[in-house]
Amino acid sequence: FGVDKAGFDAAMAEAREKSAFKGSDQEAVDTIYKQLASELGGTKFTGYDGTEGDGAIRALIVGGARVPRATVGDKVGIVLDTTPFYAESGGQTGDTGELTTASGARVRIDDTKKPAGDLFVLTGEVTAGAIAVGDAAHQVVDAARRGRIRANHSATHLLHLALKRTLGGHVAQKGSLVAPERLRFDFTHFSPMTDEQIRSVEDQVNAEVWRNADSVIEV
């Protein structure tokens, strides 16, 4: 059968145009955060000293773009100079809580991440008033949730020790998830664990938890 070469070429050109990758919203947001990290530098983290703190808003991101202000209903990413909110790192999930300003604005913080270098980004929704770049903001971390996360983080270290004692010193951590309601610990071993080994590890970890030893911080 005959082929309309001009029509075929036009159709192929249209198909190539449709399938060409033109970037994504996430890619655009990632670029913005890289630019902000280069422009603003890192965020000072004060969360080791407490779950509340003050800071100045240095940038706002709404709908994948930098904006000077955000109002009620806006899903917003907030960059501050200083924050007590822990950003997701090393398997530990980011903090949640609330941010308020003297004008009466309130922002529910649903997550905290470090998308570029040491730039912390608090993400959430403006629930009252409006916030603007340059505003002073009081930040309050959900301390109860942070406490549960810290407990599960400690448990991952107890689990690692118990696995080494039970399976051998070759056991190495290969990843983890530390959340308020659970933990996941990934490790290497040359065979599946037996029921007896699993029970032994559980008993060792629970015994350490019940011992309730003091935590000691050394720098």
Side-chain angles (χ1 to χ4, degrees), residues 13 37 40 49 54 69 94 96 101 105 110 115 118 122 128 148 164 214:
L40 304 176
D49 299 321
D54 297 307
R69 68 195 301 268
T96 63
T101 68
D110 299 322
D118 288 325
L122 284 59
R148 294 195 299 274
K164 282 181 174 292
D214 289 339

Side-chain angles (χ1 to χ4, degrees), residues 86-95 146 149-150 153 176-179:
Y86 181 87
E88 180 180 339
S89 180
Q92 180 169 321
T93 56
D95 279 335
R146 163 89 72 88
I149 292 171
R150 290 177 66 186
H153 196 147
S176 67
L177 168 69
V178 183

Side-chain angles (χ1 to χ4, degrees), residues 92-214:
Q92 180 169 321
T93 56
D95 279 335
T96 63
E98 188 176 57
L99 178 151
T100 58
T101 68
S103 67
R106 308 182 80 88
V107 183
R108 186 190 68 246
I109 304 301
D110 299 322
D111 199 3
T112 308
K113 294 186 181 297
K114 286 196 293 186
D118 288 325
L119 184 83
F120 286 47
V121 180
L122 284 59
T123 58
E125 180 178 343
V126 182
T127 58
I131 57 174
V133 174
D135 283 353
H138 185 64
Q139 305 156 69
V140 180
V141 174
D142 183 336
R145 179 178 180 274
R146 163 89 72 88
R148 294 195 299 274
I149 292 171
R150 290 177 66 186
N152 279 338
H153 196 147
S154 294
T156 65
H157 294 288
L158 296 177
L159 176 58
H160 195 183
L161 177 62
L163 287 166
K164 282 181 174 292
R165 286 173 173 170
T166 303
L167 303 178
H170 65 279
V171 171
Q173 179 178 348
K174 294 298 181 181
S176 67
L177 168 69
V178 183
E181 68 283 348
R182 68 187 180 98
L183 67 88
R184 190 198 75 241
F185 188 87
D186 308 327
F187 65 96
T188 54
H189 185 50
F190 49 78
S191 66
M193 293 178 67
T194 66
D195 290 342
E196 290 78 13
Q197 289 170 333
I198 292 172
R199 278 195 297 271
S200 175
V201 167
E202 290 176 343
D203 289 345
Q204 291 177 61
V205 173
N206 286 327
E208 286 297 323
V209 171
W210 280 108
R211 196 163 67 88
N212 200 28
D214 289 339

Side-chain angles (χ1 to χ4, degrees), residues 19-117:
S19 64
F21 177 73
K22 299 181 176 62
S24 66
D25 291 342
Q26 186 57 50
E27 186 179 70
V29 171
D30 290 344
T31 299
I32 288 174
Y33 288 139
K34 289 175 183 176
Q35 292 171 345
L36 284 170
S38 176
E39 174 189 333
L40 304 176
T43 305
K44 181 181 178 181
F45 176 64
T46 60
Y48 291 128
D49 299 321
T51 54
E52 290 192 39
D54 297 307
I57 297 176
R58 305 188 72 190
L60 298 170
I61 299 88
V62 175
R66 292 180 69 173
V67 296
R69 68 195 301 268
T71 59
V72 173
D74 284 342
K75 302 291 195 302
V76 62
I78 307 170
V79 177
L80 300 108
D81 60 349
T82 304
T83 185
F85 280 74
Y86 181 87
E88 180 180 339
S89 180
Q92 180 169 321
T93 56
D95 279 335
T96 63
E98 188 176 57
L99 178 151
T100 58
T101 68
S103 67
R106 308 182 80 88
V107 183
R108 186 190 68 246
I109 304 301
D110 299 322
D111 199 3
T112 308
K113 294 186 181 297
K114 286 196 293 186

